[in-house]
Amino acid sequence: MVAAPIAIVAPAAADALQAAWLAVTMNGVAQGDVLVQRRAGRVYVPAEALRRWGVTLDGLAIVTLDHQPYVALGGDGLAYTVEEATQALRLTVAPARLQATSLPARRVSLGRVARSGWGGFVNYDLLADRSYGSTSVSGLFEVGLFSPLGSGTSTFVARSSGPGANVVRLESGWTIDDPDRLRSLRIGDSVTRYGIGGTPFRFAGLQFGRSFETQPGYVTLPLPTLGGAAALPSVADIYVNNVLTGHQDVRPGPFAITDVPVVSGAGQVSLVVRDMLGRQTTISQSYYTAPDLLRAGLSDYSFEAGVARRDFGTRSFSYGSAFAAATYRYGLSDTLTGEAHAEATPRLQQAGAAADFVLPGVALITLGAAASHAPSGAGAMVTAGIQRNAPRISYGVTAELLSDAYVTYGSSYKSPRRSVTAFVGMPVRFGSIGGSFTTRSYRSAPSLQITSLNATIHATRFASFNLIGSKTWGAVADTAVQLLMLVPLGRRTSASAGVSAHGAGESAVATLQRDLPVGDGIGYRVSGEAGEIDRLDGEVSLQTGVGTYSVEGSWTDQGGGVRLSASGSIGMIDGNVFAARPLTQSFAAVRVGDFPDVGVYADNQLVGHTGRNGLMIVPNLRMFDDNPLRIDTDDVPMTAQIVTDKQTVRPPRRSGVHVDFAVVDERDAILTVVLADGTALPKGARVVSGSGEETVSAAGGEIYLAHLRATTTVTVALEKTACSFDVTRPADSGAQPRLGPFTCALRPS
């Protein structure tokens, strides 16, 4: 939109001007005193003041008075009254004349990612099994390195069964993240990105692409925007599906509230706007959004190159031909996202394009097509789908058709040549019900059809039932029904019991289990089954600060067995060696001074206690996300000074970070000081401790210090001389020890 030109008019010289300072109120809001000009019954306000108040001057005539630009009031949305008795100007500006404001309803504070330390770790998961007369030992190991330059891991599996033993490498890779630009580079083993017409596969090489996970609060999908106009200062209440989700202060004029936080699927958002006079306006609109959509102007991409992995899990270094692949998605608008994908090897090339778009307020539509070229010939595939998720009913249908010659590098010639998948689900008063249907036709194998029905029934506050039924026909023929009852018995304990029937027979099963706590503790599981196979097994697990250990026993009508397992980690961060639970995500090395047995909490859950050196490893921190940590101040001696007991850390990928809770062990103490000749330090001498505390000496050479640290230097200033001495506080000293005598040798001041 092009703004209308602003006319500059010079008034006639014979017109007389009257200037006055008036207290201005615009749309009920005080704006302060302004120098107003009057001439021939008209009132003029400085143009600069109107701009400052958010008034647009497009189309208004600006006149020059006393060498300054002014605007005449009384027209074009600028109504006014002047109260001579109070020297006040009451200005009423039409909403269309005010500048539009944009207010984000969802404010996300993306904090800085903490700096990684230097170090590494080894995760181990050991298993020893004795069953059916044979013994086997195996282990899964992960070696990790981390630094401010990135992090990397390599995993191995080792097996020993009978006379044979082998070690197989699984994955090795180094990742460099750039959270500010939402991208990552991985060097080594990885999995290709899924794209239209392609099939993900493992490879060794380079992968560079968008990484939204580096900023968990980043909004990728389109969010609704609601707009309106307010004549007076107002407050807008934001409702999503009739649930209040936030408030916004709205200033006079047109406004738009953007990024209204909603759940994906269909729904309705509403604004209830109340102005300062209590008048209320409601604005509502329906929306539909989905995770598959990107907001307008946002891109998502991945580029890979390398060689495909073969025989993964059985051979350490087995590779296929070289390849290159690329996937690119772009939000063309808030309702349309486009996608392109291509991959190529010396013998095979494939490319495709797709689009996800929204029927406003209805559903998400997906359309796509791809083509391939290989020695077997050229092939093509097309896909189409519709999906709707809504509070009342959700459904979806996806169909895919492939020609006989269509193939991708990650697929095989046994892939289905036609498949249709459909689902439907809806909540009901007692729970939810749903169903699905899948049919697949193959080029050289019998077709397969699967249909299933499921229902969740909340019978009482303390029990729920899951009913699942399925029927398969075609390549496999079977009918199965399962009924399972779930009973929670506390925060960590639950029980379940159920019956099932299928073509091979019927069975009944019951389980009682208690999950491991977040911190140290015990968990267990006991279950039994009767029917096709009579089985009884149990497991007891112990979790400590350095690992998790379990013993499992099982018995069936064909024999029994015992299994022992242990998992944990050993590592080092910046020279500090530690043992901890498995480090499957990021971790924090929490230090609380040198104090042992101090409770450390993550997400308000007790994780464990510091060791003898005041250090504790807190595992399983969410990568790139805010992790609130705190310490139990009751575990810190009363003589210690705690700077803060809460911190929030945002660690990088698979790395260790330092979190230091500054705790200083300071105690009140009384020192006895004598001079070199054995006489007591005179009363009134100025005393300064190493911590900066200042005081004066008392009679008998006594000095009272309120913040004596474990070691400090004390300086005494007399009239013409000074002396100093070192104080080392005994570790077993009380809350207010008496220490000394200390000899203070005089020296020239």
Side-chain angles (χ1 to χ4, degrees):
M1 177 178 179
V2 180
I6 299 175
I8 307 295
V9 181
D15 295 336
L17 291 175
Q18 295 180 343
W21 285 93
L22 301 182
V24 179
T25 300
M26 187 184 79
N27 290 356
V29 178
Q31 303 294 341
D33 294 343
V34 175
L35 182 62
V36 175
Q37 301 282 359
R38 300 190 191 186
R39 186 191 64 186
R42 302 201 67 180
V43 176
Y44 298 84
V45 173
E48 184 275 333
L50 291 174
R51 289 192 182 98
R52 189 171 66 250
W53 301 336
V55 179
T56 61
L57 304 185
D58 297 343
L60 296 178
I62 296 181
V63 299
T64 301
L65 304 175
D66 284 344
H67 308 290
Q68 298 293 328
Y70 279 77
V71 174
L73 303 180
D76 293 325
L78 300 177
Y80 74 96
T81 58
V82 177
E83 297 179 357
E84 301 292 350
T86 59
Q87 289 293 284
L89 171 63
R90 301 194 179 279
L91 182 60
T92 302
V93 181
R97 175 56 66 184
L98 295 170
Q99 296 176 1
T101 58
S102 178
L103 304 170
R106 186 179 187 271
R107 291 184 173 91
V108 178
S109 177
L110 301 179
R112 300 291 299 177
V113 175
R115 186 179 187 274
S116 170
W118 292 84
F121 59 86
V122 177
N123 284 326
Y124 59 87
D125 190 351
L126 306 176
L127 179 66
D129 182 86
R130 173 69 179 179
S131 59
Y132 303 108
S134 64
T135 301
S136 64
V137 179
S138 61
L140 177 65
F141 302 91
E142 180 182 41
V143 179
L145 297 174
F146 54 86
S147 73
L149 305 178
S151 62
T153 60
S154 185
T155 54
F156 304 85
V157 61
R159 305 182 184 92
S160 175
S161 179
N166 67 329
V167 177
V168 177
R169 183 186 68 89
L170 299 180
E171 289 185 303
S172 304
W174 185 269
T175 303
I176 302 172
D177 296 302
D178 186 358
D180 292 337
R181 295 179 177 84
L182 296 166
R183 60 189 186 185
S184 297
L185 170 66
R186 181 171 175 83
I187 305 169
D189 296 317
S190 189
V191 178
T192 60
R193 175 81 169 270
Y194 172 78
I196 179 65
T199 304
F201 58 91
R202 296 183 180 275
F203 74 97
L206 299 177
Q207 184 177 51
F208 175 74
R210 185 73 79 191
S211 183
F212 293 122
E213 66 176 344
T214 60
Q215 290 286 6
Y218 191 82
V219 179
T220 62
L221 73 167
L223 296 179
T225 296
L226 288 177
L232 299 175
S234 306
V235 174
D237 293 334
I238 306 169
Y239 290 83
V240 177
N241 296 328
N242 296 320
V243 176
L244 180 65
T245 60
H247 308 270
Q248 281 285 359
D249 292 328
V250 178
R251 71 182 191 183
F255 66 87
I257 296 182
T258 62
D259 293 342
V260 177
V262 298
V263 294
S264 62
Q268 185 178 65
V269 293
S270 302
L271 286 183
V272 178
V273 183
R274 296 180 179 86
D275 64 20
M276 58 190 304
L277 299 179
R279 294 176 297 190
Q280 177 175 304
T281 303
T282 301
I283 305 166
S284 300
Q285 75 175 43
S286 298
Y287 73 87
Y288 191 92
T289 188
D292 295 332
L293 293 175
L294 295 175
R295 54 185 173 84
L298 182 63
S299 62
D300 186 12
Y301 55 86
S302 181
F303 305 100
E304 299 105 3
V307 291
R309 288 286 304 269
R310 288 181 174 175
D311 304 318
F312 179 80
T314 59
R315 298 178 63 184
S316 299
F317 302 95
S318 179
Y319 303 104
S321 61
F323 82 99
T327 304
Y328 187 81
R329 304 181 72 242
Y330 185 77
L332 299 169
S333 70
D334 280 350
T335 58
L336 175 62
T337 296
E339 177 185 327
H341 173 78
E343 57 187 49
T345 72
R347 294 172 55 85
L348 186 151
Q349 301 82 42
Q350 181 269 340
D356 295 310
F357 60 93
V358 169
L359 293 178
V362 179
L364 177 71
I365 305 296
T366 299
L367 298 175
S372 69
H373 179 269
S376 58
M381 67 82 66
V382 293
T383 183
I386 180 172
Q387 180 173 320
R388 174 180 172 83
N389 292 318
R392 293 186 177 181
I393 186 171
S394 299
Y395 59 83
V397 179
T398 300
E400 190 174 89
L401 178 63
L402 288 72
S403 68
D404 288 345
Y406 183 81
V407 65
T408 66
Y409 194 52
S411 67
S412 68
Y413 287 94
K414 295 182 180 179
S415 299
R417 293 310 179 213
R418 183 179 69 249
S419 66
V420 177
T421 302
F423 76 89
V424 63
M426 61 184 298
V428 293
R429 187 178 62 180
F430 55 81
S432 63
I433 57 174
S436 65
F437 173 75
T438 300
T439 177
R440 294 177 178 176
S441 298
Y442 299 85
R443 182 178 61 179
S444 58
S447 62
L448 178 67
Q449 290 80 36
I450 304 172
T451 184
S452 67
L453 296 174
N454 60 82
T456 299
I457 303 170
H458 301 295
T460 68
R461 291 177 52 192
F462 307 103
S464 62
F465 293 87
N466 289 337
L467 176 63
I468 302 173
S470 65
K471 181 174 178 58
T472 305
W473 65 94
V476 177
D478 191 19
T479 301
V481 178
Q482 182 185 55
L483 176 63
L484 183 66
M485 179 181 68
L486 303 174
V487 181
L489 301 176
R491 295 182 58 185
R492 295 166 41 210
T493 308
S494 62
S496 63
V499 294
S500 62
H502 55 91
E506 300 81 26
S507 63
V509 63
T511 301
L512 174 66
Q513 70 178 45
R514 182 173 177 82
D515 299 330
L516 284 169
V518 175
D520 299 348
I522 295 177
Y524 59 82
R525 176 183 56 83
V526 179
S527 66
E529 181 178 355
E532 299 177 71
I533 299 176
D534 293 331
R535 177 181 59 86
L536 179 64
D537 57 37
E539 179 181 7
V540 177
S541 300
L542 170 66
Q543 181 164 269
T544 70
V546 297
T548 303
Y549 315 94
S550 65
V551 178
E552 182 180 359
S554 63
W555 172 88
T556 70
D557 51 9
Q558 299 177 355
V562 177
R563 177 178 297 176
L564 305 177
S565 65
S567 62
S569 66
I570 56 174
M572 182 179 68
I573 177 170
D574 294 338
N576 295 310
V577 179
F578 62 85
R581 298 168 193 159
L583 303 176
T584 57
Q585 300 189 61
S586 296
F587 69 93
V590 175
R591 181 173 292 281
V592 189
D594 295 323
F595 297 102
D597 299 323
V598 178
V600 180
Y601 291 76
D603 291 324
N604 289 323
Q605 298 286 329
L606 179 63
V607 180
H609 294 78
T610 56
R612 288 179 296 178
N613 58 354
L615 184 70
M616 180 187 170
I617 302 299
V618 179
N620 299 325
L621 297 185
R622 297 180 298 276
M623 299 180 294
F624 306 108
D625 203 356
D626 288 338
N627 293 267
L629 303 175
R630 67 178 178 90
I631 60 175
D632 191 340
T633 56
D634 292 338
D635 295 338
V636 180
M638 296 182 62
T639 55
Q641 306 296 319
I642 302 175
V643 177
T644 179
D645 65 340
K646 297 178 182 178
Q647 293 193 50
T648 298
V649 62
R650 188 182 275 248
R653 183 190 306 272
R654 299 303 303 273
S655 299
V657 296
H658 284 283
V659 179
D660 188 11
F661 287 89
V663 179
V664 181
D665 188 6
E666 298 178 336
R667 306 186 188 184
D668 299 348
I670 298 176
L671 311 182
T672 300
V673 182
V674 298
L675 300 179
D677 59 4
T679 60
L681 180 70
K683 178 181 178 181
R686 181 172 174 267
V687 179
V688 180
S689 72
S691 62
E693 179 185 359
E694 295 188 15
T695 185
V696 294
S697 60
E702 291 188 343
I703 299 174
Y704 174 77
L705 293 178
H707 302 289
L708 181 65
R709 297 180 178 177
T711 58
T712 190
T713 299
V714 178
T715 302
V716 179
L718 299 175
E719 183 176 355
K720 294 183 180 180
T721 57
C723 66
S724 63
F725 58 92
D726 295 329
V727 178
T728 299
R729 193 187 69 226
D732 57 351
S733 60
Q736 191 181 76
R738 283 183 171 269
L739 305 177
F742 297 94
T743 300
C744 197
L746 298 177
R747 57 180 173 80
S749 177

